[in-house]
């Protein structure tokens, strides 16, 4: 028989990360802590949401290592409204280690959903769609819009280019006509339920993974 109010007792949360470094710190011949480690993390522990490989590493060291192994894929997000989904898309971009995230429109964006993952990525700002298109031309990238619209081809039936820059719009309005005009291809994700469109952050995760499955599956 359950104790009174037992169902109201919170489950203990497992402690995230690792505590202070045990044993001698990694030091060079000059006695200083060696790269890539952060002395403060060694002393106090590392409770960040990072993979085990990066435990005790400084943020700059993690960023540098990620850049060396980043995907050729880039993504662009139109920032016209205060959309919480932008942060979620950035978080997925970090998980796939995309080459860069391009914010098109307003410079200030809602970082709440990113869960600080934006600190490890290269974030680029473009005030207008034409600025993004110019960057793509100069760096030999192909703009592919992900939107459920007439004229789009099914994502699974479309060969995405390796040097691909996937474009995502706002949750409420989709991709603006100005940004759509810069795209070379248009793709959509098939749906079989009653709603017309899915959450843009979910759609972005699917599209990014489709590219990953073809060019970086392991």
């Amino acid at each position: 028989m359950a104790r009174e109010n037992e169902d109201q007792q919170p489950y203990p949360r497992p402690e995230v990360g690792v505590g202070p470094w045990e044993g001698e710190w990694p030091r060079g011949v000059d006695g200083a802590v060696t790269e890539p480690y952060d002395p403060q993390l060694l002393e106090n522990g590392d409770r960040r949401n990072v993979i085990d490989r990066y435990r005790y590493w400084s943020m700059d060291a993690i960023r540098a290592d990620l850049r060396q192994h980043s995907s050729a894929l880039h993504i662009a997000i139109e920032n016209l409204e205060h959309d919480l989904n932008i942060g979620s898309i950035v978080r997925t971009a970090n998980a796939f280690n995309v080459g860069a995230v391009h914010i098109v429109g307003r410079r200030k964006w809602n970082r709440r959903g990113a869960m600080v993952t934006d600190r490890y990525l290269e974030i680029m700002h473009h005030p207008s769609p034409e600025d993004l298109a110019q960057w793509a031309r100069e760096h030999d990238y192909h703009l592919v819009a992900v939107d459920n619209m007439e004229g789009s081809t099914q994502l699974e039936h479309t060969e995405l280019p390796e040097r691909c820059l996937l474009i995502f719009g706002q949750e409420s309005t989709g991709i603006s006509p100005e940004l759509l005009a810069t795209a070379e291809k248009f793709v959509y994700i098939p749906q079989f339920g009653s709603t017309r469109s899915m959450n843009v952050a979910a759609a972005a995760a699917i599209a990014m993974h489709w590219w990953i499955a073809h060019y970086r599956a392991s």
Side-chain angles (χ1 to χ4, degrees), residues 77-81 83 146-149 167-177 179-180 196-197 200:
I77 313 166
E78 196 162 26
N79 183 30
L80 304 178
E81 302 172 357
D83 194 339
V146 182
D147 203 351
N148 183 10
M149 55 176 285
I167 302 172
F168 305 99
Q170 299 286 274
E171 177 74 17
S172 58
T173 58
I175 303 173
S176 70
L179 188 54
L180 279 175
R196 181 183 178 278
S197 62
V200 66

Side-chain angles (χ1 to χ4, degrees), residues 72-172:
L73 175 66
H74 283 221
I75 66 167
I77 313 166
E78 196 162 26
N79 183 30
L80 304 178
E81 302 172 357
H82 199 60
D83 194 339
L84 282 170
N85 290 288
I86 294 177
S88 297
I89 296 173
V90 169
R91 187 176 182 182
T92 301
N94 169 265
F96 292 132
N97 194 17
V98 304
V101 174
H102 303 256
I103 304 295
V104 184
R106 297 180 180 178
R107 179 178 292 276
K108 185 177 180 180
W109 55 279
N110 195 325
R111 286 172 163 77
R112 184 175 179 182
M115 302 292 286
V116 307
T117 55
D118 56 298
R119 299 179 185 178
Y120 301 101
L121 288 168
E122 181 176 4
I123 307 290
M124 304 179 66
H125 175 250
H126 303 273
S128 70
E130 179 51 39
D131 290 315
L132 176 71
Q134 181 177 346
W135 183 95
R137 289 192 296 268
E138 292 174 353
H139 295 82
D140 193 26
Y141 264 80
H142 303 277
L143 293 160
V144 179
V146 182
D147 203 351
N148 183 10
M149 55 176 285
E150 186 176 354
S152 295
T153 61
Q154 187 170 326
L155 177 65
E156 295 85 349
H157 298 163
T158 306
E159 183 178 354
L160 296 177
E162 183 171 8
R163 297 182 67 81
C164 181
L165 203 167
L166 292 173
I167 302 172
F168 305 99
Q170 299 286 274
E171 177 74 17
S172 58

